Amino acid sequence: MAIQSVGVIGAGQMGNGIAHVFAQAGYDVLMTDISQEALDKAVALIGTNMDRQVSREKITEDEKKAAMARIKTTMKLGDLGQTDLVIEAATERETVKQAIFEDLLPHLKPETILTSNTSSISITRLASRTDRPEKFMGFHFMNPVPIMQLVELIRGIATDEPTYNALHEVVEKLGKTSASAEDFPAFIVNRILMPMINEAVYTLYEGVGNVKSIDQSMKLGANWPMGPLELADFIGLDTCLAIMNVLHDGLADTKYRPCPLLTKYVEAGWLGRKTGRGFYDYRRDVPVPTR
């Protein structure tokens, strides 16, 4: 399974980061989104991020130009059908992902490998809605993709060994490290991380500490580079809530019940950095706690 071309579905935070690292590793990348504006913004952001790498002497100017030349965009999902590997990085909603794969299937080459960058949804269930469950895997990158070294590889019940081996080799070519996870809700990283964030929100909800004291306690007392509420804002509170709901529904254990305060923030549209407000207000020069 020689993989040379890669299709990336979604030009958001994860999609543009995935396109960045694949192009830099020498793969031809075709990125799609439902908005041309989103695609243009993604390419511009990739260019800015690569400029930063050049300034830090991580890559050369020539390497940056070659990588940018390998990135193409399209608004036609079917155009991705001729790529060797497809990585879906759309919204973390199962119905959306299923609809994307359903629309893509008629255009695929028989040998194309399908993957999802989902952070929590069942790979077996997603794969079962396609015509190639044996060539379907979870390919979960961490955010921000160009910086974070880990990629979770998640096999569905039907995933075959050649597919797993092919993706394992891809991760190595990207210069990253893979961790194999079983197909259980939220896999490894988010199975551990999200309940910790959710507990921090409960600590705020119950008045044990305010936003500043909770984040300061974990940064200075547990040596975290970011506090849990600051991290939740960075990830997106809607994503945090979606993963907690997957854990709660999938494992039927009350310890995964999303904190009502997390739900309230999402209902208010206070989703963190991307909307300007979350546990912090980012509309000024210095973020200010909202509680």
Side-chain angles (χ1 to χ4, degrees):
M1 288 186 182
I3 294 171
Q4 295 177 317
S5 57
V6 179
V8 178
I9 301 171
Q13 197 172 36
M14 296 304 294
N16 76 64
I18 292 168
H20 176 147
V21 298
F22 271 90
Q24 204 166 291
Y27 293 94
D28 293 322
V29 177
L30 183 59
M31 180 166 50
T32 187
D33 200 282
I34 56 172
S35 157
Q36 187 60 50
E37 183 186 4
L39 289 168
D40 294 342
K41 279 184 179 177
V43 172
L45 181 58
I46 292 168
T48 300
N49 289 338
M50 285 192 188
D51 283 337
R52 193 176 295 122
Q53 289 178 302
V54 172
S55 68
R56 293 174 181 171
E57 298 183 351
K58 302 283 187 186
I59 61 173
T60 66
E61 181 65 32
D62 286 346
E63 286 172 335
K64 178 225 164 176
K65 286 178 181 174
M68 291 301 295
R70 284 191 283 267
I71 300 173
K72 301 288 188 292
T73 65
T74 178
M75 286 182 62
K76 296 178 182 176
L77 181 63
D79 289 349
L80 272 63
Q82 295 307 301
T83 59
D84 303 321
L85 167 65
V86 172
I87 304 167
E88 172 274 312
T91 306
E92 189 68 357
R93 288 207 301 271
E94 189 166 349
T95 51
V96 171
K97 294 179 186 297
Q98 286 176 345
I100 287 169
F101 287 125
E102 191 174 305
D103 289 346
L104 182 61
L105 288 179
H107 307 281
L108 291 176
K109 297 189 297 183
E111 64 272 21
T112 299
I113 295 174
L114 289 180
T115 68
S116 175
N117 183 57
T118 178
S119 52
S120 60
I121 297 167
S122 167
I123 299 304
T124 298
R125 201 161 59 236
L126 286 174
S128 72
R129 302 290 292 270
T130 74
D131 63 353
R132 62 194 68 204
E134 71 287 349
K135 292 185 183 300
F136 193 108
M137 273 189 67
F139 207 26
H140 182 216
F141 289 80
M142 306 296 131
N143 185 34
V145 180
I147 294 170
M148 302 298 278
Q149 289 301 300
L150 185 74
V151 182
E152 284 183 316
L153 295 180
I154 307 102
R155 275 181 276 211
I157 196 169
T159 306
D160 63 25
E161 202 64 23
T163 299
Y164 173 82
N165 291 337
L167 292 188
H168 190 273
E169 286 177 21
V170 167
V171 174
E172 287 186 344
K173 189 173 176 183
L174 294 177
K176 296 188 182 294
T177 301
S178 61
S180 296
E182 293 301 316
D183 186 21
F184 287 98
F187 319 129
I188 296 172
V189 173
N190 284 317
R191 171 77 176 261
I192 297 168
L193 177 62
M194 285 304 158
M196 292 172 73
I197 287 175
N198 195 50
E199 195 60 34
V201 183
Y202 267 114
T203 305
L204 178 65
Y205 176 63
E206 293 168 4
V208 180
N210 59 26
V211 168
K212 183 180 177 182
S213 64
I214 290 167
D215 277 351
Q216 203 169 48
S217 294
M218 294 309 293
K219 284 194 281 189
L220 301 180
N223 207 26
W224 284 29
M226 295 172 75
L229 301 175
E230 186 184 3
L231 179 57
D233 275 357
F234 179 74
I235 294 167
L237 304 192
D238 52 339
T239 300
C240 294
L241 179 60
I243 295 170
M244 286 309 301
N245 280 326
V246 166
L247 280 165
H248 191 231
D249 296 344
L251 298 170
D253 191 324
T254 55
K255 73 180 180 181
Y256 298 116
R257 183 173 70 98
C259 179
L261 184 61
L262 178 60
T263 302
K264 184 178 288 188
Y265 268 68
V266 173
E267 288 174 345
W270 292 18
L271 309 181
R273 283 182 178 272
K274 62 186 173 185
T275 57
R277 274 191 292 190
F279 292 113
Y280 292 85
D281 190 329
Y282 299 93
R283 295 174 298 173
R284 306 170 201 176
D285 292 340
V286 178
V288 178
T290 52
R291 289 179 86 87

